[in-house]
């Protein structure tokens, strides 16, 4: 299937990328400039900014309560942005849609970013907030059942890594992992996966841009051979939580996500792999207003309700 026409029109309108080294501060400012005004955001019962006091230090989180109730399942969400972009604001609409569709309380994590924070600061923040949710469950009205982790792109990397790290630590409260077009192999050898060649140019995120965009993270001490950096390099996937792996047809990183889902199933882990046709990388953040892509939130709800 060709790229969805509305996505193709948007990509064609984008200016050429700036020449020279990437400037994280300027790129963040441009990212934040597209945030919708508060009055235009999806209304929920409550949205609260809180500081989580965790083992990793104080971490800003935004808590989304979909409706008034006595208790809730909880979904902890990690935003994408190549480990140096993204914020509670840039992904606020994603968290709101997750809360509305799933009925879970969503805790979005404002983790520390590269290059200012070296590896594993961001991962530590994400892991610590999940533990904080379990420890502070009464204050969050957590019902003690569903505790899911979810993330898009590099946030999907963190979700997979947090699930694995928690398993290794003997923390068994994570019930689901939801990975939207995750970056699972930060070794960007173009011969490793066909999608790196098939989707190299013309679909928004380009294969040639993967190394420079991830350089801030890798140069901060993240080793691509480390399974906490590249979760697909973990040799033993047994015992991990059930997974929903969402991929995009025209994403250079499509194949690593689908291979990870296959390897989870081979390890006896319940894993659903779902490819969205006509979509490119980032569609949950940028194009979920298109009805066929907004369905990803319904699929997430259904996945969470199965087990």
């Amino acid at each position: 299937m060709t790229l969805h026409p509305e996505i193709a029109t948007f990509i064609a309108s984008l200016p050429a990328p700036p020449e020279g080294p990437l400037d994280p501060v300027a790129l963040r400012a441009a990212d934040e400039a597209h945030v919708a005004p508060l009055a235009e955001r999806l209304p929920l019962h409550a949205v609260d900014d809180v500081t989580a006091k965790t083992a990793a230090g104080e971490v800003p989180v935004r808590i989304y309560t979909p409706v008034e109730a006595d208790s809730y399942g909880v979904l902890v969400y990690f935003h994408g942005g190549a480990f140096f972009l993204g914020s509670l604001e840039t992904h606020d609409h994603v968290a709101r849609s997750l809360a509305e569709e799933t009925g879970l309380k969503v805790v979005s994590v404002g983790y520390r970013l590269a290059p200012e924070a070296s590896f594993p600061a961001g991962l530590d923040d994400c892991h610590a907030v999940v533990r904080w949710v379990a420890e502070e469950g009464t204050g969050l009205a957590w019902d003690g059942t569903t505790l899911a982790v979810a993330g898009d792109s590099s946030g999907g990397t963190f979700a997979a890594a947090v699930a694995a790290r928690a398993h290794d630590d003997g923390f068994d409260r994570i019930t689901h992992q939801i990975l939207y077009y995750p970056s699972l192999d930060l070794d960007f050898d173009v011969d490793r996966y066909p999608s790196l060649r098939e989707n190299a140019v013309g679909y928004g995120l380009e294969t040639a841009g993967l190394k420079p965009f991830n350089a801030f993270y890798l140069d901060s001490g993240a080793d691509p051979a480390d399974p906490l950096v590249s979760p697909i390099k973990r040799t033993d996937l047994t015992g991990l939580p059930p997974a929903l792996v969402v991929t995009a047809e025209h994403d250079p990183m499509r194949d690593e996500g689908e291979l990870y889902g296959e390897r989870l199933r081979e390890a006896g882990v319940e894993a659903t792999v779902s490819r969205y046709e006509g979509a490119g990388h980032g569609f949950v953040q940028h194009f979920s207003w298109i009805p066929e892509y907004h369905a990803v939130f319904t699929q997430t709800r259904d996945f969470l309700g199965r087990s």
Side-chain angles (χ1 to χ4, degrees), residues 17-299:
E19 296 182 1
L22 297 175
D23 180 348
V25 175
L27 288 168
R28 288 173 193 150
D31 204 22
E32 297 282 345
H34 297 289
V35 171
L38 185 60
E40 297 177 9
R41 302 182 196 183
L42 179 68
L44 299 172
H45 174 67
V47 178
D48 300 296
D49 286 325
V50 174
T51 298
K53 296 181 179 179
T54 76
E58 295 188 346
V59 182
V61 300
R62 183 168 292 172
I63 301 174
Y64 301 82
T65 304
V67 295
E68 186 174 7
D70 293 332
S71 62
Y72 309 84
V74 175
L75 183 151
V76 184
Y77 171 66
F78 313 129
H79 67 77
F83 309 99
F84 80 97
L85 282 172
S87 68
L88 298 176
E89 287 294 325
T90 61
H91 288 66
D92 177 81
H93 60 296
V94 178
R96 287 173 184 263
S97 292
L98 283 169
E100 180 188 52
E101 195 62 49
T102 67
L104 302 183
K105 181 169 286 192
V106 172
V107 178
S108 184
V109 182
Y111 58 83
R112 287 170 286 177
L113 301 174
E116 293 86 354
S118 298
F119 176 83
L123 176 60
D124 285 348
D125 289 349
C126 293
H127 180 253
V129 168
V130 174
R131 300 293 290 260
W132 172 80
V133 167
E135 293 163 2
E136 300 292 327
T138 301
L140 294 170
W142 179 41
D143 61 13
T145 57
T146 300
L147 177 53
V149 293
D152 61 296
S153 191
S154 55
T157 315
F158 279 157
V162 165
R165 185 172 170 182
H167 172 74
D168 292 346
D169 289 348
F171 179 77
D172 61 359
R173 305 305 300 272
I174 297 176
T175 58
H176 306 75
Q177 52 178 320
I178 300 156
L179 318 177
Y180 300 128
Y181 39 81
S183 175
L184 297 170
D185 190 345
L186 273 73
D187 175 355
F188 300 115
D189 177 358
V190 296
D191 294 324
R192 190 172 294 275
Y193 304 104
S195 60
L196 288 170
R197 301 185 297 276
E198 294 170 7
N199 298 321
V201 178
Y203 299 111
L205 176 66
E206 302 197 342
T207 297
L210 294 175
K211 282 185 177 179
F213 265 81
N214 287 275
F216 297 114
Y217 187 54
L218 298 179
D219 291 348
S220 80
D223 180 358
D226 183 346
L228 291 178
V229 175
S230 298
I232 204 166
K233 296 187 183 297
R234 183 179 174 92
T235 56
D236 183 5
L237 302 180
T238 58
L240 295 180
L244 170 63
V245 183
V246 170
T247 65
E249 179 185 11
H250 298 297
D251 182 357
M253 296 187 292
R254 179 196 68 207
D255 291 350
E256 63 200 71
E258 295 179 358
L259 176 60
Y260 190 67
E262 180 181 331
R263 289 194 56 226
L264 285 169
R265 288 195 292 259
E266 291 172 352
V269 177
E270 178 193 346
T272 299
V273 178
S274 182
R275 180 190 294 188
Y276 278 68
E277 304 296 333
H281 189 84
F283 77 89
V284 174
Q285 180 190 4
H286 298 296
F287 298 104
S288 60
W289 50 269
I290 298 174
E292 53 264 51
Y293 300 141
H294 191 80
V296 73
F297 299 115
T298 305
Q299 183 179 24

